[in-house]
Amino acid sequence: MRISRGRAAAIVAAVVVVVIAGVVLLGRGGDDGEKQTVERSDSRSYPSRGALIDDETLTEGAAEAWRDATQRTGEREDSRPDDRIDVLYAGRMSGEKLSQTGQERHKMHDVVVLSSHRLVATMIRPKGGEWDVRDTVGFEISYTTEVPLIDLGSGLYLAAAGQFADDKAEVISLPREVDPGDAPDGSPNEPKLFTADLTDPLWTPGIPANGPLVVRLPGQDDGTFVGQVWMGLGPGGSSLLARSTGGASAEEKLWRQLASPADSATTAAAFRAVVDSVMDGDDGTQAFSISAADGVTITSLGSATLRGTPDGDRRASAVSIGFGHDRSSEAVAVGLTGPDVHQVVRTTAVVLGQHPQRTAETLPIAAAWVSSDLGQLPYLVYAVDPTLDRIDLRVGAEKVATNGSLGFYVPAVDAGRGGRPPTTLIGFDHNGVSYPAFPITSR
């Protein structure tokens, strides 16, 4: 059949329109949304980095695998990447560093860290293997992010650009707490200090750590530090940014306390006790929402040996942790280390008190009646801000002599008979201004 020249032109035009329309639909991912893209991160804190960041085939393949994995597993919509995925890191790491086992341990692995909306995903594949979504965390990458380290899960951390001088970080591996239900293994249980090399921003500690890690956070001036990142001691075992209060000398005091073989475990136990108590309110609900950027503030209240408590001699360390906007709530805890009835040294912790919200500004001053593990008399443990000039402790009609910012008191009679003796604790600064203690309770 013969087709006229005009009709042939019309058919060709129609085909071109259909093809163009098809290309547009494919480019936009069909009718479901905008065009799916893989972009370089424009965040100043977490820009695109890594030795393989220019390998577009690698990064686009990882992004496609992330999309496919979330679709395949039926993830909720808020757990899926958006149409735009940003690449934060692309590099290669040994299976040993990635805690792989078997034959995978001896292979090199491609590692790509991706971000989309409020999600960060870590994609890993062994040489010649398939992509695996190692972990996806809920964290939004903004242009400037105050979080110095992103906990990617599986022992991987991504360091912010420009946060650590010379791409080095001071780290302490804290000793493992020996809880009442744990069997001591007899291995050395002391803090270990080392320097982390963050030349490659994707960092895995790669050490046989006994317990959690604390990474020191430098300030803007050379030689100063403004806080720490407590790894494995935040909500749900995540990392938690803890800004120091009281200036450089107070931060140095806390760091020495963490590095001390005598005080490291007790300080870590006190920190954990505060975080656990604040995250679980009295009614079983979360008392506060701790954002990664806001973190908490931390103050060392010192360490001391409490000789002659009803549980025997105890080494004690106390900290004050501030939560919420402008430390609107604060809690004080003390960690205690000493031998139990079997003469095994164990670590315990007690939250001494919590500053109620919406009350007048105060200093960390707390005390609590602690039940003896050995069934002896309960005794009062107190911890106060070390900057106070003096403290006034009264139990019943007795004015108790105190020494230092951390101590204890054993009543002459059983405080459990007929109720706890009325207890008041007040601190005074050098101007004579008084600060009452947080509510005193029993533990």
Side-chain angles (χ1 to χ4, degrees):
M1 180 178 67
R2 185 175 181 181
I3 302 176
S4 68
R5 184 176 301 175
R7 187 177 179 187
I11 292 174
V12 170
V15 171
V16 170
V17 169
V18 170
V19 170
I20 292 175
V23 170
V24 170
L25 287 174
L26 287 173
R28 291 186 177 182
D31 294 328
D32 294 333
E34 297 296 325
K35 178 182 178 181
Q36 294 180 338
T37 61
V38 180
E39 307 286 349
R40 291 286 192 98
S41 170
D42 57 5
S43 170
R44 189 172 69 184
S45 301
Y46 289 95
S48 294
R49 292 171 292 172
L52 302 180
I53 197 63
D54 293 324
D55 188 339
E56 293 184 1
T57 301
L58 176 75
T59 56
E60 290 177 1
E64 182 178 358
W66 185 21
R67 289 193 178 103
D68 290 346
T70 55
Q71 291 286 347
R72 192 168 55 248
T73 57
E75 296 281 351
R76 300 192 321 269
E77 192 167 330
D78 58 357
S79 300
R80 301 175 187 170
D82 286 347
D83 295 308
R84 168 170 169 158
I85 292 178
D86 291 340
V87 183
L88 305 181
Y89 175 89
R92 192 162 285 144
M93 188 174 288
S94 69
E96 184 178 8
K97 283 190 174 182
L98 293 169
S99 301
Q100 301 284 46
T101 58
Q103 291 300 318
E104 302 296 307
R105 181 180 179 85
H106 306 291
K107 295 181 180 179
M108 294 300 292
H109 290 66
D110 295 323
V111 183
V112 178
V113 181
L114 305 169
S115 170
S116 183
H117 193 39
R118 293 186 175 87
L119 298 173
V120 176
T122 304
M123 307 295 299
I124 297 176
R125 71 173 180 186
K127 183 178 180 180
E130 300 293 330
W131 285 108
D132 176 52
V133 185
R134 173 66 73 90
D135 278 295
T136 304
V137 298
F139 185 80
E140 185 170 11
I141 300 294
S142 59
Y143 178 65
T144 56
T145 304
E146 294 186 24
V147 178
L149 284 167
I150 299 177
D151 187 344
L152 300 174
S154 302
L156 288 173
Y157 301 87
L158 187 65
Q163 280 280 9
F164 298 93
D166 301 322
D167 293 327
K168 305 289 183 183
E170 295 184 33
V171 185
I172 294 179
S173 169
L174 299 174
R176 182 180 63 85
E177 297 173 33
V178 183
D179 297 321
D182 294 342
D185 56 14
S187 61
N189 197 26
E190 294 185 351
K192 298 179 178 63
L193 282 73
F194 64 97
T195 299
D197 183 358
L198 300 178
T199 305
D200 187 326
L202 187 65
W203 175 58
T204 177
I207 62 165
N210 285 334
L213 302 176
V214 177
V215 181
R216 206 173 194 187
L217 183 61
Q220 297 298 318
D221 301 324
D222 292 340
T224 63
F225 296 88
V226 296
Q228 310 87 33
V229 181
W230 292 65
M231 304 161 74
L233 282 174
S238 63
S239 299
L240 186 59
L241 175 62
R243 294 182 176 86
S244 297
T245 60
S249 61
E251 202 282 336
E252 187 66 31
K253 174 185 175 183
L254 175 61
W255 191 253
R256 289 197 306 268
Q257 194 168 305
L258 290 172
S260 164
D263 303 326
S264 186
T266 50
T267 305
F271 186 96
R272 185 194 298 275
V274 174
V275 173
D276 289 346
S277 69
V278 170
M279 295 306 295
D280 297 322
D282 294 336
D283 58 355
T285 61
Q286 181 173 308
F288 290 93
S289 176
I290 305 174
S291 72
D294 293 337
V296 300
T297 55
I298 180 171
T299 304
S300 166
L301 303 185
S303 297
T305 298
L306 310 183
R307 299 193 182 281
T309 78
D311 287 319
D313 292 349
R314 289 290 183 268
R315 186 65 184 173
S317 298
V319 295
S320 169
I321 308 292
F323 295 84
H325 179 64
D326 295 333
R327 296 170 67 92
S328 58
S329 187
E330 191 169 15
V332 172
V334 61
L336 302 165
T337 297
D340 61 12
V341 292
H342 304 292
Q343 296 304 301
V344 175
V345 175
R346 300 188 184 276
T347 305
T348 58
V350 179
V351 177
L352 300 184
Q354 188 167 327
H355 170 212
Q357 284 186 293
R358 296 180 294 276
T359 59
E361 181 181 353
T362 186
L363 294 177
I365 304 173
W369 287 96
V370 179
S371 297
S372 169
D373 291 337
L374 302 182
Q376 304 296 315
L377 294 176
Y379 55 103
L380 186 78
V381 177
Y382 64 86
V384 304
D385 192 310
T387 61
L388 287 168
D389 187 60
R390 65 183 178 89
I391 59 175
D392 185 350
L393 173 61
R394 296 177 185 270
V395 180
E398 181 182 1
K399 182 176 181 179
V400 179
T402 58
N403 181 24
S405 60
L406 179 60
F408 75 101
Y409 166 77
V410 182
V413 295
D414 189 345
R417 295 174 187 162
R420 185 185 70 239
T423 308
T424 60
L425 177 61
I426 301 175
F428 297 87
D429 65 15
H430 63 282
N431 293 318
V433 177
S434 63
Y435 296 89
F438 300 170
I440 298 174
T441 59
S442 297
R443 295 286 184 266

